[in-house]
Amino acid sequence: MYDVNKIRADFPILAREVNGQPLTYLDNGASAQKPQVVIDAVTRGYAEEYSNVHRGLHYLSNLATEKYEAVRGIVARFLNAPSEDEIVFNSGTTEGINMVAYGWAAPRMAEGDEIVLTVAEHHANIVPWHFLRERQGVRLVWVEPDADGSIPADKVLAAVTERTKLIAVTQCSNVLGSIVDVKAIKAGAGDVPVLVDGSQGAVHMPVDVADLGVDFYAITGHKLYGPSGSGAIFVKRERMDEMRPFMGGGDMIREVTRETVTYNDPPMKFEAGTPGIVQTIGLGVALEYMMGVGMENIAAHEASLAKYAAERFEGLNWLNVQGKAPGKAAIFSLTVEGGAHAHDLSTILDKKGIAIRAGHHCAQPLMDHLGVPATARASFGMYNTTEEVDRLVEGLELCHRLFG
Amino acid sequence: MATEAFEDIVEDFEFLDDWEDRYAHVIDLGRAMDPLEDALKVPATKVEGCASQVWLMPEIEAGTFRFRGDSDALIVRGIIAVLSALYNGVAVSDVPKIDAKAELGRLSLEEHLSAQRSNGLKAMIQRINKLAVEAA
């Protein structure tokens, strides 16, 4: 039995009020709140266990290094990666994808080579590829979602040609909530490597990279109930062997002379400079927390929220839900008839203590495709409740009265 | 004392007790305002720094300040209507003397504007002052 109230009690911020109303936090797609265990781990990390990692031989350095390195195993377990050496720490998905773009893709792509991506990608999975287009004439081949927001695997595969060097897709659209069958994409892609933006996917469903077979899978800590500035990317061993270091600096080297530099073994080869030590330790605690609740249980809870929300929205004939793909995640991009802008909705909902995101959600090509300048996005997480769906609907009804 | 048009708005707001009514009134003010023609919604009139799109078009004649504006968000349109009541008809040289934030504070609206929206408001006030200085 999923006890959502027990889970809510673990997240201290959920008890606060906003504008004199109980907080209804529905902006999880942008960033999730943190459970007390993560907050405690961060506090303890600085109060009792802090030092730089991989450097000193003193007690605290060993302790911090041990705690930090243990997270590699936790991330590997969370993603079911075959080896923890295939996990590279970073500040989040944006850094992870940029690392692949610079370190793996750029050296092996020539003018006219192609990258297949969907119109529903987040800018983090678009702009690094635009860099390759600008700098070396790589072609970006775009796959459009169906009218209901679905992004079928066969549509993605149909865009693959003999010039395709990479397929870069999200597992879950941050705007539409559509789930992409990345396993089918990888299975049908032949030798073409597949990079998955798991920013949203890993939050809402169990992920098994060994089963998916994908080459790269990037996650962001702050969306996984962990600290901001934490993240990781799974890189399959063969791809890691092909990848050049993206950033140079401390920690990633074995030896530096005036003439030469030799690199540390992967994954540390790809982790230059002092990392987000305490953030990463906090990420480990967050992932343990999620696994403790059970990713299947979280997914089932959110699926019931999504179903309930979809039913409630269905009753509002002035409300448009962008994206109604079957089995979509509990992410709803809303527009209303009557000329109210997403920012209008967000302002009024905020007055009711409801936090949503209004804007283009770092997905401007998708906004263009949908023909809307912006949407109001309600994105649910493991601690949200059906009562909060009701509160959102009440808030939207007030918007309709004010703007309709 | 601000302009008569603005004092009228202040008076109207005094009768509105709760925030829903205040917002409804702001939205009505925005609705009642003539929209800016699409041809005037160009980069030169666009105010950057607002969360939604905002355009301000100066119409300064014989030393009297006037502007028209528009936004794709209804609440912001209402704020533009309030600002036009505050500034329109004022001598260009008097525009910089107006403390817009303090005047808007009399409507008990400022406290309800989110930080992003406050930034937008700041950007609009800056643009108005810039237009006045350029015309002086």
Side-chain angles (χ1 to χ4, degrees):
Chain A
M1 180 64 196
Y2 193 88
D3 189 348
V4 71
N5 288 321
K6 188 163 165 282
I7 288 167
R8 289 182 72 80
D10 291 336
F11 291 77
I13 204 168
L14 298 180
R16 71 161 287 171
E17 292 193 341
V18 163
N19 288 326
Q21 308 268 348
L23 168 65
T24 301
Y25 189 78
L26 302 178
D27 196 17
N28 298 286
S31 201
Q33 300 299 346
K34 320 305 172 198
Q36 189 66 48
V37 283
V38 169
I39 298 166
D40 289 345
V42 170
T43 306
R44 198 169 52 243
Y46 283 122
E48 299 170 27
E49 300 163 348
Y50 187 74
S51 177
N52 211 330
V53 291
H54 304 142
R55 284 165 173 82
L57 286 174
H58 57 79
Y59 179 85
L60 282 180
S61 181
N62 284 334
L63 180 62
T65 303
E66 237 168 69
K67 290 237 163 196
Y68 174 82
E69 279 302 325
V71 178
R72 232 182 269 283
I74 298 171
V75 175
R77 196 149 38 84
F78 181 73
L79 296 176
N80 196 34
S83 160
E84 65 176 57
D85 291 339
E86 293 172 304
I87 304 297
V88 177
F89 290 139
N90 52 37
S91 61
T93 294
T94 300
E95 188 183 336
I97 296 176
N98 274 278
M99 178 191 77
V100 175
Y102 279 90
W104 181 84
R108 55 196 349 94
M109 289 195 194
E111 191 171 343
D113 283 345
E114 295 171 355
I115 298 172
V116 171
L117 62 172
T118 85
V119 170
E121 299 310 314
H122 186 283
H123 292 165
N125 196 23
I126 295 177
V127 183
W129 312 123
H130 264 309
F131 288 170
L132 300 194
R133 179 191 58 73
E134 285 178 346
R135 292 167 194 177
Q136 45 200 96
V138 168
R139 276 192 66 224
L140 305 186
V141 179
W142 298 92
V143 178
E144 292 190 348
D146 288 347
D148 71 349
S150 298
I151 304 165
D154 53 6
K155 214 168 166 182
V156 174
L157 290 169
V160 173
T161 72
E162 56 190 21
R163 294 300 302 267
T164 306
K165 290 287 190 289
L166 179 70
I167 300 169
V169 289
T170 185
Q171 190 179 24
C172 173
S173 161
N174 70 316
V175 174
L176 305 169
S178 320
I179 305 295
V180 182
D181 186 350
V182 294
K183 183 180 179 181
I185 290 174
K186 179 61 194 177
D191 294 337
V192 179
V194 175
L195 175 140
V196 178
D197 173 350
S199 291
Q200 303 289 341
V203 182
H204 302 296
M205 61 182 127
V207 173
D208 181 337
V209 291
D211 179 55
L212 298 176
V214 299
D215 299 81
F216 307 95
Y217 191 102
I219 58 171
T220 290
H222 70 85
K223 294 187 204 286
L224 292 159
Y225 309 98
S228 58
S230 67
I233 184 167
F234 161 78
V235 181
K236 204 185 252 182
R237 174 92 58 186
E238 300 93 292
R239 299 291 89 75
M240 211 173 245
D241 291 343
E242 296 166 348
M243 191 161 66
R244 288 186 194 168
F246 159 41
M247 289 208 292
D251 233 22
M252 54 81 73
I253 50 90
R254 175 156 298 134
E255 193 175 43
V256 183
T257 68
R258 293 187 190 201
E259 290 79 27
T260 61
V261 52
T262 50
Y263 304 119
N264 209 329
D265 291 331
M268 282 177 61
K269 179 181 175 182
F270 305 104
E271 297 171 355
T274 294
I277 300 163
V278 176
Q279 293 93 317
T280 302
I281 292 170
L283 171 64
V285 174
L287 298 183
E288 291 281 25
Y289 179 82
M290 290 181 85
M291 290 188 281
V293 175
M295 288 308 297
E296 294 283 357
N297 299 330
I298 292 171
H301 172 70
E302 291 183 6
S304 73
L305 282 178
K307 184 166 172 282
Y308 182 71
E311 283 165 10
R312 293 290 330 255
F313 295 154
E314 207 57 50
L316 309 173
N317 59 10
W318 37 266
L319 185 78
N320 302 314
V321 177
Q322 304 287 342
K324 294 183 175 175
K328 67 175 265 177
I331 297 173
F332 294 91
S333 274
L334 309 170
T335 54
V336 296
E337 279 159 25
H341 191 277
H343 293 121
D344 290 322
L345 303 181
S346 158
T347 302
I348 298 302
L349 292 174
D350 182 52
K351 288 295 303 163
K352 305 284 280 180
I354 303 169
I356 58 149
R357 176 154 174 204
H360 56 60
H361 316 296
C362 298
Q364 288 178 336
L366 181 59
M367 294 290 124
D368 274 351
H369 172 77
L370 297 171
V372 296
T375 72
R377 181 187 66 183
S379 50
F380 295 80
M382 66 188 293
Y383 40 60
N384 290 121
T385 64
T386 51
E387 290 75 28
E388 290 180 307
V389 175
D390 292 337
R391 244 180 269 159
L392 171 64
V393 169
E394 261 171 48
L396 289 168
E397 280 168 339
L398 171 61
C399 291
H400 180 59
R401 282 202 299 282
L402 287 170
F403 299 115
Chain B
M1 277 291 276
T3 62
E4 201 174 314
F6 185 77
E7 293 300 334
D8 286 347
I9 292 177
V10 173
E11 206 169 301
D12 290 340
F13 268 84
E14 279 166 7
F15 292 100
L16 303 172
D17 293 328
D18 68 25
W19 69 268
E20 285 186 31
D21 292 339
R22 287 174 191 276
Y23 268 97
H25 192 55
V26 170
I27 293 160
D28 285 345
L29 290 172
R31 283 233 168 85
M33 184 175 74
D34 286 334
L36 205 60
E37 301 83 322
D38 282 345
L40 296 174
K41 293 177 180 172
V42 293
T45 58
K46 191 158 180 193
V47 181
E48 301 296 343
C50 305
S52 48
Q53 300 198 84
V54 172
W55 300 268
L56 296 183
M57 173 73 193
E59 293 182 339
I60 299 165
E61 262 181 68
T64 301
F65 187 81
R66 217 161 251 296
F67 78 92
R68 291 195 295 137
D70 210 340
S71 170
D72 54 357
L74 291 170
I75 295 172
V76 179
R77 265 183 71 86
I79 301 286
I80 294 169
V82 172
L83 287 174
S84 63
L86 185 62
Y87 284 100
N88 283 357
V90 169
V92 166
S93 55
D94 287 338
V95 164
K97 295 174 194 164
I98 295 176
D99 183 348
K101 281 204 127 174
E103 296 291 352
L104 286 175
R106 296 169 63 198
L107 306 181
S108 307
L109 262 184
E110 234 282 303
E111 59 181 292
H112 297 312
L113 298 174
S114 67
Q116 268 191 349
R117 227 171 266 280
S118 289
N119 289 339
L121 180 63
K122 201 170 147 200
M124 285 190 269
I125 295 167
Q126 276 172 351
R127 176 64 65 90
I128 286 167
N129 278 288
K130 186 164 169 267
L131 293 171
V133 168
E134 283 167 1

